[in-house]
Amino acid sequence: MSTATLERSATKPRYIVCEGNEAAALAVALARPDMVSVYPITPQSSLVEHVAKLVADGRLDADIVDAEGEHSVLSVLQGASLAGGRTYTATCGPGLAFMFEPYFRTSGMRLPIVMTIVTRDGITPQSVWGGHQDAMTVREVGWIQIYCESVQEVLDTTIMAFKIAEHHDVMLPVNICVDGNYLSYGSARVEVPEQAAVDAFMGVKNVNWHAALDPLRPMGVDPLTGGAGGKGPSAFVRYRKGQCQGMQNALRVITEVHEEYARCFGRSYAPLVEQYRMEDAAIALMTIGSMTGAAKDAVDEARQAGTRVGIIKIKTFSPFPIDALVAALGKVEAIGVVDRSVAFRWNCGPMYQETLGALYRLGRHVPAASFIGGLAGADMTVEHFHRVIRDTEALRHGRLSAGPIWLNEND
Amino acid sequence: MGRAYNTIAFDAAKCDGCGDCMRACARAKTGGEDVARSRIQIAAGSTGFELALCRQCGDPRCVAVCPAGALAKDGQSGIIGWDAGKCVDCLLCTLGCAYAGIALDEATGRVAKCDTCEGSPACVPACPHGALKHHTTARIYNEVGDWEDLFAPGLAGCQGCNTELLMRHTLRRVGPDTVLATPPGCVPGMGSVGYNGMAGTKVPVFHPLLTNTAAMLAGVKRQFNRAGRKVTALAIAGDGGASDAGFQSLSGAAERGEQILFMVVDNEGYMNTGMQRSSATPYGAWTSTTPVGRESKGKTQDAKNLPLLMVNHRCAYVATASTAYMDDLYDKLDRAIVAAETGFAYLHVYSPCTTGWRFPTDQNMEVARKAVETNFVMLWEYTPEQGLHLSRSVDDPLPVTDYLKVMGRFRHLSPEQVQHIQAKVEENRAFVQQISQQSQAPREPSRFAGHGGDYGKGDAPRS
C-alpha cells in the first residue's frame, strides 16, 4: 500500500504510487464534496479510511458521517444532496445489497450522488473476493455505471463522475466500478492533477436546482403520483420517461466530459467503448474492467501469430452504449464476450446478454460465445484469454459451445 | 381564527354534594354563607349530583332573549357579562337558559350569574374531591391559533383522528424554517406530501422511506449546518416506521447525536395500511394480523417500549406526551425544539386511533386521557442532565379495565388477559418510577406551569 502523499501546496501534477482505493480517495478530495458517508466493507474499507484521513488531516473540507449501515449511508447523502450538497460514498457486495432500497430511489429523485463500487462477488457461496456480481445485479436501476481498467483511470474517472452526474442534462447518480482486489489493492504509478485545475474543470456546483429541501424554496419532494382520483399515471410516466432520457443524454455527456478532461489534463480514455487492434479484426473479444490488460497482452501475442483478433472493451456499461458497440463491431465475424459475473436467468454473462440485444441492431448474424471468468477473485491470465481467442476463432468456423465457458473451472 | 375560552368543568362522579363550592361562591360574591345566593348550584338528580352553572355558551340563549341588551358575551374572555344599569329585571333570561346558569337572587331582586371571578373561580379550589376543574388550555390554543398553520387545508384523516391536530399544532410551533420528513403512514396518507403535484405543507416536505427517515434528515440538517443556516429538521413518523423497520436508522442517528426533532405518533400499529400489528401494539390487542379466533385472541406479546429505548441512547431530550394533555405536550415540544439545536430530541406522542382501536369518533380525547389515568401509558421526560421525571402522579391510577373497556380492540379479552395487562402496567410503572427516583435533579419550571394548567403544583414529580 502506498504511503505517498499529496501536497496541498503543489502547483504541478504530482506522481505517486498508490493503490486504487487511495487513488479514488484522492480524486474525491480533489472534487471537494460537502458530505461523505462511510461504512466499511471488504474490499472497499481502505477507500473510506483514506477519505476519513484526508478529512482528519484537513486536506478535504467535508462532513464525514460514520453511519450505522449502508442503508443509512445512502440515505444521509440523499438528504444532503436535496439540501444542495455534493456527495460521495463507496460500497460493495453485501453493503450494496443492504443499500438497495434507497439505491433504487436515488436515480428516481435524480440525485447526482457519486458512489464507487469496489466490486465483489455475490454471496452465497461465501467469498470476500472481487467479481462484478454486485454491480451487475443492480445494472437495471437507473444508475450510470462506469468500469475502470487501471489505477490511473480510477482517479481520473472518479473526478469525471461528479461532472457527469451533476450535468443538468443528466442529473443521475454514478457508480465508478473498481475491480475489487485487482484495482482496489493493486498499486501503480499515478499522476495526481493539481487542485486549481480540477476546480476549473468542475465549474459551479448546483445539484438541487430541480428538487430541493430548503425553506427558502419550499416544495413537496417526490409527492405521490397517479391515482387518488386525480391526474392518473401521467406524472409517473413523465418522471420515469425523464429518467430514461437522462440515461440516454448521459451517453453524450460522458463522451463530452471525457473529451474535456483530456484537454484539461492530457489523459484520454475511450468514454463508452474502447477498440483495441480492431482495424481488420475477424474476431473480437469483449472485456470489461481490469481483465482487459491481460486480454491485450494475449491479443498482441495472437496477432504476432497471425490471428486477426481485437478487443472491444466496455467502459460505460450503464447506459449500455448500443450505438458505439454496433459501430465497433464493424465486420467482425465472431465475438467472445468475457464476463466476471453471471446472468442467472440466461445461463451466461450479463455483458453477453446485453450484447445479444445490441446485435439485433447490427442487422446481421454474428455468432457469439459467453465466457465467465474471474469469479470470487480468480485471476484472469493471458493464458485464459488465449483460450478465449481459440474458442472464438473456432466459433467463427461454426463450432458452437452449448453453454457458457467457465474459464476458472479447473483452476 | 375563532377564540377558545377557559371553562369550569364538572365531574359528577367525583361529587358528593358537600356544598363547599357553593359556600365558597357565596362568600366570594355576597360576603355571606347563604348558599342559596351562590352562583354555582349543586342539586341531587336521579342518577347523582347535577350542576347548575353558567356555561358561558358560544351561542347564548340568555343574550338572545334579553330585551334590554344587558347581557353580552365578551370576545376576549368568553364571559357573558351582565350590565346592572341596562337590566330591566324581566327575568326572561332565566327562562331562556337551559342550564339554570342565571337565576334570581332573592336578596337583591335581581339576576346573578357566574363571571368566573375574573378568571380565578373561588369554587374550583374549594372542592375537596377535584370534581371541579378550571380548564385553562384555551390560552394555548389561542396562542397557537395566532401562528401560521403550515399544513394545507382539508387533510384526509379519518373522522375523529387526533393526528391532524398534532400535525398542525406541531408545525405551527416549529415554524417555517423547517424541513419536514413524514415517512409512510397516516401522516403522508393524510396528504402531507401532497397529491397530484400539489404540496401538503408550506414548508419543504418529503416522504422518506419507512426505513431511513432519521438518516435522510441527518443529511439535510448537516448540509444546512455546513451552509451556516439554521433549519429545524423535523420528523413526524408512525410507531411502525420508528420501532420496527426504521429503528436502525433512528438508533444510529440518536447515537451520532444528529440534530433532529423526531416525533413519533404512536397509534400502536400500522393503521394507515389497514391496522396491522407493530412492535408497539399492546398485548391482547386485536389487529388485522393478530386477529381474534379460536386458537388465539389478539397479540400475544407485549409492546416494545420505544421511548425508554431512546432514553438508553442518552438522547439530548426524550419525552412522552398525549394529545389529551396539550399543555404538557406543548411544554415538551418547546424543550424538544431547543434540544434539537444541539442534539437528538425524541418526542413520543400516544395517539388513539378511532378507526383501528374501534371507538366512537367523539371519544378520542377521552381514550387518550384514560390511557394516562390508568398508567397504561406514562407521561415523563428525560434529559441526560436531569434524568427521568414523571410529568404527573402515577400513584392513584384507575384500574386498567377503565381504559380497555372504552374500545373494541380489547373487547374479546379473557380475565387472564386483562390480568396480564394490569400486571404489565404495574411492572412498567415500577420500572419507570425506579428510574425516576434515581433522578434527583429538579425539573426546570414548566413553560405553562404558571398558568394553572393541569400540571400545576399538585402534579409535581414525587421523586
Side-chain angles (χ1 to χ4, degrees):
Chain A
M1 305 305 123
S2 161
T3 54
T5 56
L6 172 69
E7 293 294 333
R8 253 189 304 174
S9 59
T11 53
K12 289 180 179 173
R14 292 290 307 266
Y15 298 92
I16 63 170
V17 175
C18 70
E19 59 170 27
N21 276 352
E22 184 172 4
L26 291 170
V28 169
L30 287 166
R32 298 187 191 270
D34 294 286
M35 204 169 300
V36 179
S37 192
V38 301
Y39 189 86
I41 183 169
T42 300
Q44 164 261 34
S45 299
S46 68
L47 200 168
V48 295
E49 289 165 9
H50 284 302
V51 176
K53 188 73 166 64
L54 288 166
V55 173
D57 290 345
R59 294 164 64 193
L60 167 58
D61 173 22
D63 198 341
I64 196 152
V65 185
D66 285 279
E68 80 291 344
E70 290 87 349
H71 192 286
S72 284
V73 160
L74 190 53
S75 302
V76 164
L77 298 187
Q78 288 182 348
S81 183
L82 285 164
R86 178 173 289 161
T87 52
Y88 173 81
T89 189
T91 192
C92 71
L96 180 60
F98 182 38
M99 183 188 277
F100 186 73
E101 193 189 19
Y103 184 86
F104 192 102
R105 204 178 182 199
T106 307
S107 55
M109 291 198 290
R110 311 296 294 269
L111 303 180
I113 293 170
V114 174
M115 176 169 86
T116 304
I117 301 178
V118 185
T119 60
R120 173 171 163 178
D121 219 316
I123 56 173
T124 276
Q126 185 60 262
S127 146
V128 295
W129 313 113
H132 290 161
Q133 197 68 50
D134 51 2
M136 286 293 171
T137 299
V138 296
R139 67 188 182 276
E140 204 52 274
V141 186
W143 283 59
I144 293 166
Q145 293 185 313
I146 304 176
Y147 285 74
C148 297
E149 182 181 336
S150 68
V151 173
Q152 180 73 59
E153 193 176 11
V154 169
L155 185 145
D156 294 326
T157 305
T158 302
I159 294 170
M160 287 190 275
F162 287 94
K163 185 145 180 159
I164 294 163
E166 295 173 14
H167 192 288
H168 287 195
D169 291 342
V170 177
M171 292 302 290
L172 287 169
V174 175
N175 287 146
I176 309 119
C177 300
V178 174
D179 284 16
N181 302 68
Y182 289 96
L183 285 179
S184 64
Y185 301 149
S187 290
R189 174 185 184 276
V190 295
E191 182 181 343
V192 182
E194 56 181 313
Q195 183 68 62
V198 175
D199 288 346
F201 171 76
M202 293 297 289
V204 178
K205 176 186 71 182
N206 183 6
V207 301
N208 67 345
W209 55 276
H210 66 306
L213 287 172
D214 185 342
L216 297 179
R217 283 189 288 153
M219 65 176 78
V221 169
D222 205 3
L224 197 62
T225 62
K231 294 178 178 174
S234 64
F236 188 96
V237 173
R238 192 171 74 249
Y239 287 130
R240 191 60 98 225
K241 192 176 165 188
Q243 274 180 271
C244 290
Q245 187 58 52
M247 285 293 268
Q248 288 306 298
N249 294 348
L251 291 167
R252 169 177 59 79
V253 172
I254 290 168
T255 303
E256 289 169 0
V257 170
H258 275 71
E259 288 167 355
E260 188 183 348
Y261 195 86
R263 284 197 300 277
C264 293
F265 301 99
R267 278 186 300 283
S268 65
Y269 305 91
L272 307 175
V273 170
E274 179 186 341
Q275 301 184 39
Y276 182 78
R277 304 194 75 167
M278 284 294 294
E279 52 281 358
D280 62 342
I283 61 170
L285 312 188
M286 283 181 62
T287 62
I288 185 166
S290 67
M291 70 168 75
T292 311
K296 285 174 177 172
D297 286 348
V299 163
D300 288 346
E301 290 173 7
R303 279 277 180 178
Q304 276 193 330
T307 307
R308 287 191 295 130
V309 56
I311 293 172
I312 298 170
K313 183 194 80 173
I314 299 286
K315 176 167 185 179
T316 299
F317 188 79
S318 302
F320 197 69
I322 300 168
D323 292 341
L325 176 58
V326 166
L329 286 170
K331 294 192 169 68
V332 164
E333 295 164 33
I335 318 169
V337 184
V338 188
D339 277 280
R340 206 166 199 137
S341 57
V342 305
F344 291 102
R345 294 166 54 247
W346 279 57
N347 188 29
C348 64
M351 187 163 67
Y352 173 82
Q353 181 190 355
E354 304 269 350
T355 301
L356 295 185
L359 286 174
Y360 183 79
R361 302 265 186 100
L362 188 63
R364 65 185 174 90
H365 179 72
V366 179
S370 176
F371 298 85
I372 295 169
L375 300 185
D379 198 6
M380 295 181 77
T381 64
V382 173
E383 280 314 306
H384 288 120
F385 285 102
H386 276 307
R387 181 185 173 188
V388 175
I389 293 167
R390 282 196 305 275
D391 286 359
T392 308
E393 186 66 18
L395 176 65
R396 181 182 160 218
H397 293 104
R399 289 194 294 279
L400 271 170
S401 168
I405 295 144
W406 301 80
L407 292 173
N408 304 103
E409 197 166 19
N410 299 312
D411 289 354
Chain B
M1 154 149 190
R3 308 290 295 175
Y5 303 113
N6 299 333
T7 187
I8 297 170
F10 175 64
D11 186 347
K14 290 180 178 171
C15 179
D16 68 354
C18 69
D20 284 357
C21 56
M22 293 191 282
R23 280 186 285 279
C25 181
R27 276 195 297 274
K29 291 299 176 193
T30 69
E33 296 285 327
D34 182 4
V35 295
R37 298 189 64 193
S38 168
R39 294 160 189 196
I40 181 170
Q41 293 291 327
I42 301 293
S46 54
T47 58
F49 291 99
E50 293 176 357
L51 173 78
L53 178 71
C54 175
R55 264 58 166 183
Q56 321 290 353
C57 297
D59 182 19
R61 290 283 294 158
C62 59
V63 173
V65 300
C66 177
L71 289 163
K73 189 171 177 70
D74 182 276
Q76 279 304 310
S77 67
I79 301 298
I80 296 169
W82 172 65
D83 187 334
K86 289 183 181 171
C87 180
V88 296
D89 301 326
C90 68
L91 302 183
L92 282 177
C93 55
T94 65
L95 299 176
C97 179
Y99 305 106
I102 187 164
L104 174 67
D105 179 356
E106 290 183 355
T108 62
R110 311 206 74 182
V111 293
K113 67 175 291 300
C114 171
D115 60 3
T116 72
C117 304
E118 296 183 342
S120 184
C123 54
V124 172
C127 175
H129 312 296
L132 290 172
K133 280 204 162 84
H134 190 218
H135 287 296
T136 57
T137 48
R139 199 190 61 79
I140 300 168
Y141 289 101
N142 288 337
E143 184 181 345
V144 173
D146 289 338
W147 299 331
E148 185 180 10
D149 184 356
L150 293 164
F151 271 102
L155 295 183
C158 298
Q159 190 176 3
C161 175
N162 67 0
T163 301
E164 180 173 350
L165 165 96
L166 193 63
M167 288 157 62
R168 291 188 188 280
H169 279 242
T170 301
L171 207 50
R172 276 180 154 123
R173 183 69 194 92
V174 178
D177 288 327
T178 297
V179 172
L180 173 64
T182 60
C186 292
V187 174
M190 287 186 198
S192 65
V193 291
Y195 289 109
N196 299 318
M198 307 293 280
T201 70
K202 296 180 186 175
V203 298
V205 59
F206 68 109
H207 194 163
L209 301 167
L210 188 65
T211 43
N212 74 351
T213 309
M216 207 170 161
L217 262 186
V220 171
K221 175 66 178 179
R222 282 170 177 258
Q223 181 60 26
F224 281 113
N225 281 352
R226 273 185 72 78
R229 287 177 55 193
K230 192 177 171 188
V231 168
T232 301
L234 169 68
I236 304 181
D239 52 280
S243 68
D244 289 342
F247 182 67
Q248 175 175 323
S249 68
L250 174 64
S251 173
E255 181 268 331
R256 294 191 302 275
E258 304 286 358
Q259 296 159 9
I260 294 172
L261 201 177
F262 202 99
M263 173 183 279
V264 168
V265 182
D266 182 4
N267 55 22
E268 300 180 346
Y270 292 92
M271 298 316 180
N272 187 57
T273 42
M275 302 162 282
Q276 297 84 6
R277 165 208 198 273
S278 81
S279 59
T281 303
Y283 172 90
W286 169 91
T287 70
S288 56
T289 53
T290 56
V292 175
R294 201 182 60 192
E295 299 296 328
S296 68
K297 299 190 189 313
K299 193 186 176 197
T300 54
Q301 303 85 14
D302 290 309
K304 180 194 284 186
N305 194 324
L306 186 56
L308 281 182
L309 278 169
M310 299 316 288
V311 168
N312 267 337
H313 286 73
R314 304 296 186 270
C315 301
Y317 186 79
V318 183
T320 61
S322 164
T323 47
Y325 300 86
M326 285 300 282
D327 46 359
D328 179 59
L329 198 162
Y330 264 104
D331 190 14
K332 289 168 174 171
L333 182 57
D334 279 358
R335 292 167 193 264
I337 291 168
V338 172
E341 290 173 9
T342 54
F344 196 89
Y346 178 87
L347 187 53
H348 192 102
V349 185
Y350 296 103
S351 181
C353 171
T354 174
T355 307
W357 298 10
R358 299 178 169 177
F359 58 81
T361 55
D362 62 352
Q363 290 297 300
N364 204 311
M365 292 302 161
E366 184 57 25
V367 172
R369 190 174 294 115
K370 282 284 188 294
V372 174
E373 289 177 345
T374 57
N375 283 343
F376 190 83
V377 301
M378 298 178 71
L379 305 186
W380 47 260
E381 67 179 342
Y382 164 86
T383 62
E385 299 77 26
Q386 297 179 308
L388 185 147
H389 287 284
L390 298 171
S391 307
R392 71 189 302 281
S393 168
V394 296
D395 288 341
D396 188 22
L398 299 173
V400 77
T401 46
D402 280 17
Y403 172 65
L404 302 175
K405 72 185 180 191
V406 294
M407 67 197 94
R409 66 171 172 160
F410 292 119
R411 186 181 297 137
H412 56 275
L413 291 184
S414 66
E416 292 74 25
Q417 284 177 302
V418 173
Q419 215 167 29
H420 175 101
I421 294 171
Q422 184 69 62
K424 180 69 188 172
V425 165
E426 304 297 340
E427 183 269 332
N428 188 55
R429 177 182 72 158
F431 187 78
V432 175
Q433 262 183 317
Q434 193 177 13
I435 302 171
S436 154
Q437 280 156 6
Q438 288 160 2
S439 303
Q440 294 300 330
R443 184 176 181 266
E444 285 172 18
S446 158
R447 176 171 174 268
F448 291 103
H451 301 283
D454 283 338
Y455 293 84
K457 304 143 221 83
D459 287 316
R462 302 183 182 185
S463 57

